[in-house]
Amino acid sequence: MSLSPAPVSPPKPRVRFAPSPTGFLHVGSARTFIFNWLYARHKRGTMILRLDDTDVERNTEASVQSIFEGLKWLDLSWDEEYKQSERGELHRQMAETIFQKGLAYRDFTPAHTDDSEKSGAQGTWLFNPGMRELSREESDGRAAAGEPFALRFRVPREGGQLVRFTDAVYGEQMKSAVDIEDFALLRSDGMPTYHLASCADDADLRISHIIRGQDHLTNTFKHVLIFEAAGFTPPQFAHLPLLVAPDGTKLSKRRHGPVVSVTTYRDAGFLPEAFINFLCLLGWSPKNDREQMGRQELIDAFSLGGINRANAVVNFKEFSKPDVGRAPSPADLNPEETFDPKALWLNAEHIRALPVEDLSARLLPIVREAGFNLTPEKMLRITPLIRERIKLLREVLAAADFFFVDQLPPYDPAELIPQKGDAAMALRVLKRAKEVLAIVEFKHDALDQTLRTAAQELGVKAGQMFQPIRVAVCGRKNAPPLFETLEVLGKDVALARIDEAIRKIG
């Protein structure tokens, strides 16, 4: 009897999110992070955050903070963290390895000593024969003399070689090597280019799957050459469809304003879990076409096979135009006129699905930040009354403002007049309400019975009784259910506001 060897489990995936800190956290970058995170958690792998911060001229500390601020709000953790700027020696070692194999050469041409790869009238620069064919002895001598140079990859140009890779989303990809320029690995100042630094880090960190935007698809041919030249097997690639505006243009801050920034959604009152849910449905779909999904449901359902090839449209509208000479800001955004309707719908659904205690805890900081010193206990009583009435967390300030203030803002006394009634009817209703509410217990059932009885005694319909009271205590017709509202406001506040309404209409 022989024992079969135990099956060997495949290595757990290692994925990375590698933002360049040259601006705020873009919604497209956030989606890339989320897809990497979901894949890692679904496969019980490792999620790595790596700041690709080697572009020292464009990197800013404010951008770094914006990235971390946005990721902190999403509340999705990572397992390892690195800064590309601290790994320069590793990058130069890979460049040296490729150079020593004869797969890279020094380019001393002044116009090519940076990482530019396009020149000439047609923008079709591929290589400089004089530099590519320079003898090693002359190259070493000129370098030793201090002449600046860029280190360029020697793309194979003989034998009709094809560069191939299989993308998990777009399938088999191939390109003739002769159509790829001799791209830079190191600039003349010794700094690595994006191509080299990214590949060196991915190889060193043992990245198994590179999940990134479709705009990197063409770069991948160069990256495959780098990995193979340095002696590494390229990772599995999966390129994500782009996020585009309704007119088909790629989302950009310059063109589309604050609606492409993650913190805009946070500040508008989106729940992070709803925002994640929304971004996931832009370019990916579960097999059963579900839409509202929680975090664990997304983890369980996520697969690279569910990613679509077509670009995903974010159906926002143009934001309100700011004053001339002033840059647009989140304050210029009208939610109903700006954000994608599906984003608003999903957020409302997630709000309704939250336990009242959880929702109340999220609303309280917004209320207090607006200057209202509300207790957690009172916020907990208000929350069930407005949960069905808000799509965004910040809408609590408009939906429940009458609970927070001591005195209502001015309103039109005509609002007090009930349907098919007149001012005299409104006055009779309010006076009778003041009498009966002064002696009734402020509990739902008691209030309900007392006010309905009063309506019968006055010979008016229940609705004609309730509307003047609702407007008197809330300052408007559109408000939460009356009896629950009275119960939360309390007897003293309700009677004082009814008194004020009687003065207005009298």
Side-chain angles (χ1 to χ4, degrees), residues 5-284:
V8 178
S9 299
K12 293 181 179 179
R14 290 173 61 82
V15 300
R16 50 71 160 180
F17 174 59
S20 178
T22 56
F24 57 75
L25 183 62
H26 189 283
V27 292
S29 299
R31 188 193 59 168
T32 298
F33 176 88
I34 292 165
F35 281 10
N36 275 278
W37 187 90
L38 289 173
Y39 187 75
R41 296 299 176 249
H42 180 81
K43 297 287 189 178
R44 293 180 171 81
T46 301
M47 176 71 206
I48 295 168
L49 173 65
R50 187 184 77 219
L51 287 179
D52 283 4
D53 58 347
T54 54
D55 189 349
V56 292
E57 293 182 357
R58 298 178 61 213
N59 294 339
T60 66
E61 184 59 29
S63 296
V64 173
Q65 294 308 313
S66 172
I67 289 170
F68 279 101
E69 194 178 339
L71 294 180
K72 180 181 178 182
W73 176 64
L74 293 177
D75 194 26
L76 303 178
S77 59
W78 51 91
D79 307 304
E80 300 174 17
E81 182 180 326
Y82 302 92
K83 277 189 175 181
Q84 199 172 65
S85 59
E86 298 172 352
R87 302 166 62 80
E89 185 57 35
L90 174 77
H91 308 149
R92 285 183 284 274
Q93 286 175 6
M94 176 175 275
E96 181 66 17
T97 296
I98 295 172
F99 178 68
Q100 292 301 333
K101 291 181 177 181
L103 300 176
Y105 63 92
R106 300 184 182 102
D107 184 351
F108 296 94
T109 311
H112 297 159
T113 53
D114 59 10
D115 59 350
S116 64
E117 292 159 357
K118 299 290 181 185
S119 65
Q122 304 300 319
T124 55
W125 183 90
L126 290 174
F127 67 101
N128 182 337
M131 292 294 106
R132 183 180 168 103
E133 297 161 12
L134 200 66
S135 70
R136 180 63 181 268
E137 291 74 20
E138 184 177 352
S139 176
D140 289 347
R142 292 174 69 170
E147 189 174 345
F149 63 87
L151 189 69
R152 291 193 172 275
F153 193 91
R154 190 185 299 274
V155 176
R157 305 200 173 277
E158 302 80 23
Q161 180 174 329
L162 294 176
V163 183
R164 302 171 181 265
F165 67 94
T166 301
D167 190 84
V169 177
Y170 291 92
E172 188 72 18
Q173 303 290 309
M174 67 178 68
K175 187 174 186 178
S176 174
V178 299
D179 293 329
I180 302 173
E181 74 275 7
D182 285 0
F183 53 91
L185 299 175
L186 295 176
R187 302 183 184 95
S188 57
D189 59 3
M191 290 297 292
T193 62
Y194 159 74
H195 301 303
L196 174 70
S198 181
C199 292
D201 284 333
D202 288 336
D204 180 67
L205 298 176
R206 307 185 311 283
I207 300 301
S208 64
H209 294 70
I210 295 179
I211 305 170
R212 60 188 178 189
Q214 185 266 346
D215 49 345
H216 284 288
L217 191 63
T218 55
N219 289 334
T220 307
F221 296 104
K222 299 172 185 176
H223 297 179
V224 168
L225 289 172
I226 293 174
F227 282 119
E228 292 178 344
F232 295 96
T233 301
Q236 167 70 62
F237 294 97
H239 287 87
L240 310 176
L242 300 181
L243 299 186
V244 298
D247 63 1
T249 57
K250 185 179 177 182
L251 295 186
S252 73
K253 181 179 181 180
R254 181 185 60 80
R255 177 164 184 159
H256 302 114
V259 77
V260 303
S261 172
V262 169
T263 50
T264 295
Y265 291 80
R266 177 201 65 187
D267 297 343
F270 278 85
L271 295 169
E273 54 266 51
F275 183 65
I276 290 168
N277 188 174
F278 169 64
L279 286 186
C280 283
L281 298 179
L282 295 173
W284 171 84

Side-chain angles (χ1 to χ4, degrees), residues 415-437 450-452 454-472 482 495 498-499 501-502 505:
E415 293 284 292
L416 295 163
I417 299 174
Q419 191 172 12
K420 297 182 179 179
D422 53 20
M425 178 187 288
L427 192 59
R428 285 191 295 122
V429 164
L430 290 171
K431 287 182 176 180
R432 183 57 180 157
K434 178 183 174 183
E435 294 171 356
V436 298
L437 291 178
T450 298
L451 291 177
R452 290 184 188 278
Q456 291 176 346
E457 292 170 352
L458 291 174
V460 300
K461 296 179 179 179
Q464 293 174 315
M465 183 81 187
F466 299 159
Q467 181 183 318
I469 301 171
R470 178 180 287 107
V471 174
L482 177 59
L495 292 176
I498 290 172
D499 254 342
I502 291 171
I505 206 166

